[in-house]
Amino acid sequence: MLLLVPLLAGCSIDEVRWKPPTPSSRAAVTAPSPSAAVAEVRRVRVAVPQRYDPPYVEFVDAEHGYALFANCGEPPPGDDCPARLLATDDGGRSWREVRHPHPAAENHQLYAAPGVLTLWSEPHGWWTSTDGGTSFTHRLDGPPPQWVGAQSRFQLIEGSGQVGEWDGQRLRPLAAQPRVPGLNTVDAGDGQLVVAAGTKDGKPYAAVSFDRGRSWQQTPVPAPDGHVGVLRAVVERDGTAWLVGERPDRRSFPALWRLRRGWDPIRAEGR
């Protein structure tokens, strides 16, 4: 949870961390209660003028993150409101300014993944850094390959309805495609398991591959308790696979299934 508060002489970035689970509770899927005690608040003042709106913030792990101050209200950002980019390497305890490669633009966006920082400055294009913002490469059309490759080895190929495998330069369609109605998500861990899923007419569907996408098995998904909108596949690095059914209101606890012998529904009680 991040709390971003402008101050008179600048801006502050506050990070709130919850206490980690005790060793005896690590086996359960747990989430902190909104009323749980805060373990630590980190408040740091940074040299950004007060006129800037709260920043966009992205963390790629517990220590490394970025904050992009890119708006000053009306009129749209420009020469009088250049984007300010900051980075942290110590979990928000301190922040350093990073030179933004094109700070004057109509629309700024920030995307971060482990080892990759990508900035969009409309209409001037994409800038990507693989060294924490020390240097950037520029691209006019389409997301940079470094950013696409950082997402996952297996991804959906936009506009094709197919699953592709990243070869270092582009997504190549798999020879064998999963037969999933309404296919909209795919994920893989570090092993052989790949999961593809989707919804059609409110019903979830999924297929799994145990050989890195060379063949697929359709796997029935039990009907969820209540309505599900967006369905996401999540495969952890250790091979644990989940389906996450987001609720239409985006606030109710999602429908969850865990892959064991099949897709087992996981209830929220006690979690």
Side-chain angles (χ1 to χ4, degrees), residues 194-244:
V194 188
V195 176
T199 58
K200 185 175 182 181
D201 299 327
K203 185 177 180 181
Y205 297 88
V208 299
S209 172
F210 296 101
D211 54 14
R212 304 298 283 180
R214 290 188 290 274
S215 63
W216 295 87
Q217 301 177 24
Q218 289 181 281
T219 50
V221 181
D225 178 15
H227 187 71
V228 165
V230 176
L231 186 67
R232 292 188 294 115
V234 178
V235 181
E236 299 178 37
R237 297 185 65 179
D238 64 2
T240 303
W242 303 82
L243 294 178
V244 182

Side-chain angles (χ1 to χ4, degrees), residues 113-125:
V116 180
L117 167 64
T118 297
L119 304 171
W120 164 250
S121 294
E122 188 177 350
H124 309 289

Side-chain angles (χ1 to χ4, degrees), residues 154-218:
F154 295 89
Q155 303 176 42
L156 295 182
I157 301 175
E158 187 174 356
S160 73
Q162 294 182 307
V163 175
E165 183 175 9
W166 181 252
D167 66 2
Q169 294 297 324
R170 67 185 185 93
L171 287 171
R172 295 183 179 275
L174 297 178
Q177 290 290 325
R179 297 173 59 189
V180 175
L183 177 66
N184 72 280
T185 178
V186 63
D187 198 19
D190 288 345
Q192 299 291 310
L193 178 64
V194 188
V195 176
T199 58
K200 185 175 182 181
D201 299 327
K203 185 177 180 181
Y205 297 88
V208 299
S209 172
F210 296 101
D211 54 14
R212 304 298 283 180
R214 290 188 290 274
S215 63
W216 295 87
Q217 301 177 24
Q218 289 181 281

Side-chain angles (χ1 to χ4, degrees), residues 5-259:
V5 185
L7 299 179
L8 266 179
C11 292
S12 70
I13 302 176
D14 295 355
E15 181 181 5
V16 179
R17 288 180 174 272
W18 303 104
K19 291 181 179 178
T22 60
S24 62
S25 68
R26 289 185 185 276
V29 179
T30 60
S33 164
S35 61
V38 174
E40 182 181 353
V41 177
R42 298 170 188 167
R43 176 169 294 145
V44 181
R45 177 171 290 190
V46 294
V48 176
Q50 182 191 11
R51 69 178 186 275
Y52 283 84
D53 292 342
Y56 303 101
V57 177
E58 289 280 356
F59 272 81
V60 298
D61 57 33
E63 300 299 322
H64 300 88
Y66 300 93
L68 177 67
F69 291 84
N71 295 298
C72 304
E74 299 294 337
D79 293 333
D80 60 339
C81 181
R84 305 286 294 272
L85 178 64
L86 292 91
T88 179
D89 301 319
D90 55 11
R93 295 175 180 87
S94 64
W95 294 81
R96 56 183 171 82
E97 185 152 11
V98 175
R99 185 189 66 83
H100 194 292
H102 203 290
E106 297 175 7
N107 179 30
H108 288 282
Q109 299 294 331
L110 165 69
Y111 306 94
V116 180
L117 167 64
T118 297
L119 304 171
W120 164 250
S121 294
E122 188 177 350
H124 309 289
W126 303 82
W127 278 264
T128 301
S129 175
T130 57
D131 55 15
T134 301
S135 62
F136 287 87
T137 58
H138 183 219
R139 182 185 178 94
L140 282 172
D141 300 323
Q146 301 96 319
W147 167 251
V148 178
Q151 306 310 297
S152 175
R153 178 176 174 180
F154 295 89
Q155 303 176 42
L156 295 182
I157 301 175
E158 187 174 356
S160 73
Q162 294 182 307
V163 175
E165 183 175 9
W166 181 252
D167 66 2
Q169 294 297 324
R170 67 185 185 93
L171 287 171
R172 295 183 179 275
L174 297 178
Q177 290 290 325
R179 297 173 59 189
V180 175
L183 177 66
N184 72 280
T185 178
V186 63
D187 198 19
D190 288 345
Q192 299 291 310
L193 178 64
V194 188
V195 176
T199 58
K200 185 175 182 181
D201 299 327
K203 185 177 180 181
Y205 297 88
V208 299
S209 172
F210 296 101
D211 54 14
R212 304 298 283 180
R214 290 188 290 274
S215 63
W216 295 87
Q217 301 177 24
Q218 289 181 281
T219 50
V221 181
D225 178 15
H227 187 71
V228 165
V230 176
L231 186 67
R232 292 188 294 115
V234 178
V235 181
E236 299 178 37
R237 297 185 65 179
D238 64 2
T240 303
W242 303 82
L243 294 178
V244 182
E246 303 287 358
R247 304 299 187 180
D249 62 8
R250 305 292 290 177
R251 294 186 179 186
S252 301
F253 198 89
L256 292 174
W257 299 263
R258 183 175 180 178
L259 183 64

